[in-house]
Short mmCIF file of all heavy atoms in Angstrom, two decimals:
data_model
loop_
_atom_site.label_atom_id
_atom_site.label_comp_id
_atom_site.label_asym_id
_atom_site.label_seq_id
_atom_site.Cartn_x
_atom_site.Cartn_y
_atom_site.Cartn_z
N ARG A 202 15.92 -12.65 28.73
CA ARG A 202 17.04 -12.16 27.93
C ARG A 202 17.33 -10.70 28.25
O ARG A 202 18.47 -10.31 28.40
CB ARG A 202 16.71 -12.31 26.44
CG ARG A 202 17.82 -11.82 25.52
CD ARG A 202 17.53 -12.22 24.08
NE ARG A 202 16.29 -11.64 23.61
CZ ARG A 202 16.21 -10.42 23.06
NH1 ARG A 202 17.28 -9.67 22.96
NH2 ARG A 202 15.05 -9.95 22.64
N HIS A 203 16.27 -9.88 28.38
CA HIS A 203 16.48 -8.46 28.63
C HIS A 203 17.07 -8.24 30.03
O HIS A 203 17.88 -7.35 30.24
CB HIS A 203 15.17 -7.71 28.48
CG HIS A 203 14.69 -7.66 27.07
ND1 HIS A 203 15.41 -7.08 26.06
CD2 HIS A 203 13.58 -8.18 26.49
CE1 HIS A 203 14.76 -7.21 24.93
NE2 HIS A 203 13.65 -7.88 25.16
N ARG A 204 16.62 -9.05 30.98
CA ARG A 204 17.15 -8.87 32.33
C ARG A 204 18.63 -9.20 32.40
O ARG A 204 19.39 -8.57 33.10
CB ARG A 204 16.36 -9.74 33.31
CG ARG A 204 14.91 -9.31 33.47
CD ARG A 204 14.17 -10.17 34.45
NE ARG A 204 12.77 -9.82 34.48
CZ ARG A 204 11.86 -10.44 35.22
NH1 ARG A 204 12.24 -11.43 35.98
NH2 ARG A 204 10.61 -10.07 35.19
N GLN A 205 19.03 -10.19 31.66
CA GLN A 205 20.44 -10.57 31.68
C GLN A 205 21.31 -9.55 30.98
O GLN A 205 22.44 -9.29 31.40
CB GLN A 205 20.60 -11.93 31.00
CG GLN A 205 19.98 -13.08 31.78
CD GLN A 205 19.99 -14.35 30.98
OE1 GLN A 205 20.39 -14.37 29.83
NE2 GLN A 205 19.55 -15.44 31.58
N MET A 206 20.79 -8.93 29.93
CA MET A 206 21.63 -8.08 29.10
C MET A 206 21.50 -6.58 29.43
O MET A 206 22.45 -5.84 29.33
CB MET A 206 21.27 -8.28 27.62
CG MET A 206 21.59 -9.67 27.11
SD MET A 206 21.05 -9.90 25.43
CE MET A 206 21.99 -8.64 24.59
N CYS A 207 20.29 -6.16 29.80
CA CYS A 207 20.03 -4.73 29.85
C CYS A 207 19.67 -4.19 31.23
O CYS A 207 19.87 -3.02 31.50
CB CYS A 207 18.90 -4.37 28.88
SG CYS A 207 19.20 -4.91 27.19
N ILE A 208 19.08 -5.05 32.05
CA ILE A 208 18.47 -4.50 33.26
C ILE A 208 19.51 -3.96 34.23
O ILE A 208 20.61 -4.49 34.36
CB ILE A 208 17.58 -5.56 33.94
CG1 ILE A 208 16.64 -4.89 34.94
CG2 ILE A 208 18.41 -6.62 34.63
CD1 ILE A 208 15.53 -5.78 35.39
N ARG A 209 19.20 -2.87 34.86
CA ARG A 209 20.07 -2.26 35.88
C ARG A 209 19.27 -2.18 37.19
O ARG A 209 18.56 -1.21 37.44
CB ARG A 209 20.51 -0.85 35.46
CG ARG A 209 21.28 -0.81 34.14
CD ARG A 209 22.63 -1.49 34.32
NE ARG A 209 23.43 -1.37 33.10
CZ ARG A 209 23.41 -2.24 32.11
NH1 ARG A 209 22.61 -3.29 32.18
NH2 ARG A 209 24.16 -2.08 31.05
N ASP A 210 19.33 -3.26 37.98
CA ASP A 210 18.52 -3.31 39.20
C ASP A 210 18.92 -2.21 40.17
O ASP A 210 20.08 -1.87 40.31
CB ASP A 210 18.67 -4.66 39.88
CG ASP A 210 18.18 -5.79 38.99
OD1 ASP A 210 16.97 -6.05 39.00
OD2 ASP A 210 19.02 -6.36 38.29
N ASP A 243 25.43 -2.08 38.69
CA ASP A 243 26.69 -1.95 37.97
C ASP A 243 27.53 -0.79 38.49
O ASP A 243 28.77 -0.88 38.54
CB ASP A 243 26.41 -1.75 36.47
CG ASP A 243 25.90 -3.03 35.82
OD1 ASP A 243 25.88 -4.07 36.51
OD2 ASP A 243 25.53 -2.99 34.64
N ARG A 253 29.77 -8.07 39.57
CA ARG A 253 28.33 -7.91 39.73
C ARG A 253 27.76 -9.01 40.63
O ARG A 253 26.88 -8.75 41.47
CB ARG A 253 27.66 -7.95 38.34
CG ARG A 253 26.16 -7.81 38.35
CD ARG A 253 25.60 -7.89 36.93
NE ARG A 253 24.16 -7.95 36.91
CZ ARG A 253 23.35 -6.90 36.94
NH1 ARG A 253 23.87 -5.69 36.99
NH2 ARG A 253 22.05 -7.05 36.92
N LYS A 291 20.52 4.32 28.78
CA LYS A 291 20.62 2.88 28.95
C LYS A 291 20.24 2.47 30.36
O LYS A 291 19.53 1.48 30.57
CB LYS A 291 22.05 2.43 28.63
CG LYS A 291 22.21 0.92 28.55
CD LYS A 291 23.61 0.55 28.09
CE LYS A 291 23.77 -0.96 27.97
NZ LYS A 291 25.14 -1.32 27.53
N VAL A 292 20.70 3.23 31.34
CA VAL A 292 20.33 2.94 32.73
C VAL A 292 18.84 3.16 32.92
O VAL A 292 18.16 2.38 33.59
CB VAL A 292 21.13 3.84 33.70
CG1 VAL A 292 20.66 3.63 35.14
CG2 VAL A 292 22.62 3.53 33.59
N ARG A 294 16.49 2.76 30.78
CA ARG A 294 15.76 1.64 30.21
C ARG A 294 15.75 0.45 31.17
O ARG A 294 14.74 -0.23 31.34
CB ARG A 294 16.38 1.22 28.88
CG ARG A 294 15.63 0.10 28.19
CD ARG A 294 16.12 -0.15 26.77
NE ARG A 294 15.28 -1.12 26.10
CZ ARG A 294 15.46 -2.42 26.14
NH1 ARG A 294 16.49 -2.92 26.83
NH2 ARG A 294 14.64 -3.24 25.52
N GLY A 295 16.89 0.19 31.80
CA GLY A 295 16.94 -0.89 32.77
C GLY A 295 15.98 -0.66 33.93
O GLY A 295 15.32 -1.59 34.40
N LEU A 296 15.87 0.58 34.40
CA LEU A 296 14.95 0.90 35.49
C LEU A 296 13.50 0.72 35.06
O LEU A 296 12.66 0.24 35.84
CB LEU A 296 15.19 2.33 35.97
CG LEU A 296 16.56 2.58 36.63
CD1 LEU A 296 16.81 4.07 36.80
CD2 LEU A 296 16.64 1.87 37.98
N LEU A 297 13.19 1.11 33.82
CA LEU A 297 11.82 0.93 33.32
C LEU A 297 11.49 -0.55 33.17
O LEU A 297 10.36 -0.97 33.43
CB LEU A 297 11.65 1.67 32.00
CG LEU A 297 11.69 3.20 32.08
CD1 LEU A 297 11.64 3.82 30.70
CD2 LEU A 297 10.53 3.72 32.93
N LEU A 298 12.47 -1.35 32.74
CA LEU A 298 12.24 -2.79 32.65
C LEU A 298 12.02 -3.39 34.04
O LEU A 298 11.21 -4.30 34.21
CB LEU A 298 13.44 -3.46 31.97
CG LEU A 298 13.55 -3.25 30.46
CD1 LEU A 298 14.89 -3.76 29.95
CD2 LEU A 298 12.42 -3.97 29.74
N GLN A 299 12.74 -2.86 35.03
CA GLN A 299 12.52 -3.32 36.41
C GLN A 299 11.11 -2.97 36.86
O GLN A 299 10.45 -3.75 37.56
CB GLN A 299 13.56 -2.69 37.34
CG GLN A 299 13.48 -3.20 38.78
CD GLN A 299 14.60 -2.63 39.64
OE1 GLN A 299 15.59 -2.12 39.12
NE2 GLN A 299 14.44 -2.71 40.94
N THR A 301 8.47 -2.77 34.87
CA THR A 301 7.53 -3.69 34.22
C THR A 301 7.50 -5.05 34.93
O THR A 301 6.45 -5.69 35.00
CB THR A 301 7.90 -3.91 32.74
OG1 THR A 301 9.20 -4.50 32.66
CG2 THR A 301 7.88 -2.62 31.96
N SER A 302 8.64 -5.49 35.46
CA SER A 302 8.65 -6.76 36.19
C SER A 302 7.96 -6.62 37.54
O SER A 302 7.40 -7.58 38.07
CB SER A 302 10.08 -7.25 36.38
OG SER A 302 10.81 -6.35 37.20
N LEU A 311 5.52 0.60 29.96
CA LEU A 311 5.69 0.19 28.57
C LEU A 311 5.59 1.39 27.63
O LEU A 311 6.35 1.50 26.66
CB LEU A 311 4.63 -0.85 28.20
CG LEU A 311 4.74 -2.18 28.96
CD1 LEU A 311 3.54 -3.07 28.69
CD2 LEU A 311 6.03 -2.91 28.57
N LEU A 314 8.79 3.11 27.88
CA LEU A 314 9.82 2.38 27.13
C LEU A 314 9.74 2.67 25.63
O LEU A 314 10.76 2.78 24.96
CB LEU A 314 9.67 0.88 27.38
CG LEU A 314 10.29 0.33 28.66
CD1 LEU A 314 9.84 -1.10 28.91
CD2 LEU A 314 11.81 0.40 28.60
N ALA A 318 12.64 4.36 23.52
CA ALA A 318 13.20 3.69 22.33
C ALA A 318 13.24 4.65 21.14
O ALA A 318 14.19 4.64 20.35
CB ALA A 318 12.38 2.45 22.00
N ARG A 321 16.13 6.89 21.71
CA ARG A 321 17.39 6.18 21.47
C ARG A 321 17.52 5.73 20.01
O ARG A 321 18.55 5.15 19.64
CB ARG A 321 17.46 4.93 22.37
CG ARG A 321 17.78 5.24 23.81
CD ARG A 321 17.45 4.08 24.74
NE ARG A 321 18.09 2.82 24.37
CZ ARG A 321 19.32 2.46 24.71
NH1 ARG A 321 20.07 3.28 25.42
NH2 ARG A 321 19.81 1.28 24.35
N SER A 323 15.96 3.32 18.47
CA SER A 323 16.12 1.86 18.50
C SER A 323 14.80 1.20 18.11
O SER A 323 13.94 0.96 18.98
CB SER A 323 16.56 1.39 19.89
OG SER A 323 16.61 -0.02 19.95
N PRO A 324 14.59 0.89 16.83
CA PRO A 324 13.34 0.24 16.40
C PRO A 324 13.11 -1.11 17.07
O PRO A 324 11.96 -1.47 17.34
CB PRO A 324 13.52 0.08 14.89
CG PRO A 324 14.57 1.07 14.50
CD PRO A 324 15.48 1.17 15.69
N GLU A 325 14.18 -1.85 17.34
CA GLU A 325 14.01 -3.16 17.97
C GLU A 325 13.45 -3.03 19.38
O GLU A 325 12.54 -3.76 19.77
CB GLU A 325 15.35 -3.90 17.99
CG GLU A 325 15.73 -4.51 16.64
CD GLU A 325 14.69 -5.48 16.12
OE1 GLU A 325 14.25 -6.36 16.91
OE2 GLU A 325 14.29 -5.36 14.96
N GLU A 326 14.00 -2.10 20.14
CA GLU A 326 13.49 -1.88 21.50
C GLU A 326 12.04 -1.39 21.45
O GLU A 326 11.21 -1.77 22.28
CB GLU A 326 14.38 -0.89 22.23
CG GLU A 326 15.78 -1.41 22.53
CD GLU A 326 16.66 -0.37 23.19
OE1 GLU A 326 16.17 0.76 23.44
OE2 GLU A 326 17.84 -0.66 23.46
N GLN A 327 11.74 -0.52 20.49
CA GLN A 327 10.38 -0.02 20.35
C GLN A 327 9.41 -1.15 19.99
O GLN A 327 8.31 -1.23 20.53
CB GLN A 327 10.34 1.07 19.27
CG GLN A 327 8.99 1.76 19.14
CD GLN A 327 8.99 2.82 18.06
OE1 GLN A 327 10.04 3.17 17.53
NE2 GLN A 327 7.83 3.31 17.71
N ALA A 328 9.85 -2.04 19.11
CA ALA A 328 9.00 -3.16 18.71
C ALA A 328 8.73 -4.10 19.89
O ALA A 328 7.60 -4.57 20.08
CB ALA A 328 9.66 -3.92 17.56
N ASP A 329 9.76 -4.38 20.68
CA ASP A 329 9.57 -5.25 21.85
C ASP A 329 8.57 -4.64 22.83
O ASP A 329 7.70 -5.34 23.37
CB ASP A 329 10.91 -5.48 22.55
CG ASP A 329 11.84 -6.37 21.74
OD1 ASP A 329 11.35 -7.08 20.85
OD2 ASP A 329 13.06 -6.32 21.99
N ALA A 330 8.68 -3.34 23.05
CA ALA A 330 7.77 -2.67 23.98
C ALA A 330 6.34 -2.64 23.43
O ALA A 330 5.37 -2.79 24.18
CB ALA A 330 8.27 -1.25 24.26
N LEU A 331 6.19 -2.44 22.12
CA LEU A 331 4.86 -2.43 21.51
C LEU A 331 4.19 -3.81 21.62
O LEU A 331 2.99 -3.90 21.87
CB LEU A 331 4.96 -2.02 20.03
CG LEU A 331 5.16 -0.53 19.77
CD1 LEU A 331 5.56 -0.28 18.33
CD2 LEU A 331 3.88 0.25 20.10
N MET A 332 4.96 -4.87 21.42
CA MET A 332 4.41 -6.21 21.57
C MET A 332 3.92 -6.42 23.00
O MET A 332 2.80 -6.93 23.22
CB MET A 332 5.46 -7.25 21.21
CG MET A 332 5.03 -8.70 21.48
SD MET A 332 3.56 -9.19 20.57
CE MET A 332 4.30 -9.69 19.01
N ALA A 333 4.73 -6.04 23.97
CA ALA A 333 4.32 -6.20 25.37
C ALA A 333 3.09 -5.34 25.69
O ALA A 333 2.18 -5.77 26.40
CB ALA A 333 5.49 -5.82 26.28
N GLN A 336 -0.04 -6.94 24.26
CA GLN A 336 -0.44 -8.11 25.04
C GLN A 336 -1.12 -7.71 26.35
O GLN A 336 -2.09 -8.34 26.77
CB GLN A 336 0.78 -8.98 25.32
CG GLN A 336 1.32 -9.68 24.07
CD GLN A 336 2.65 -10.36 24.31
OE1 GLN A 336 3.38 -10.03 25.25
NE2 GLN A 336 2.99 -11.31 23.44
N ARG A 358 8.08 -3.96 11.91
CA ARG A 358 8.49 -5.31 11.50
C ARG A 358 7.46 -5.88 10.52
O ARG A 358 6.63 -6.71 10.90
CB ARG A 358 8.60 -6.24 12.71
CG ARG A 358 9.71 -5.91 13.68
CD ARG A 358 9.65 -6.87 14.86
NE ARG A 358 10.68 -6.61 15.84
CZ ARG A 358 10.71 -7.16 17.06
NH1 ARG A 358 9.75 -8.02 17.43
NH2 ARG A 358 11.68 -6.87 17.92
#
Side-chain angles (χ1 to χ4, degrees):
R202 180 170 61 87
H203 292 299
R204 293 181 186 178
Q205 291 172 356
M206 295 176 60
C207 305
I208 197 166
R209 300 292 184 271
D210 298 276
D243 288 354
R253 179 181 172 86
K291 190 174 181 180
V292 175
R294 183 171 186 272
L296 294 168
L297 292 174
L298 286 170
Q299 185 175 342
T301 62
S302 65
L311 295 171
L314 278 169
R321 284 163 55 85
S323 175
E325 283 302 312
E326 293 177 1
Q327 186 180 350
D329 289 340
L331 283 167
M332 173 60 85
Q336 290 171 339
R358 293 177 181 169

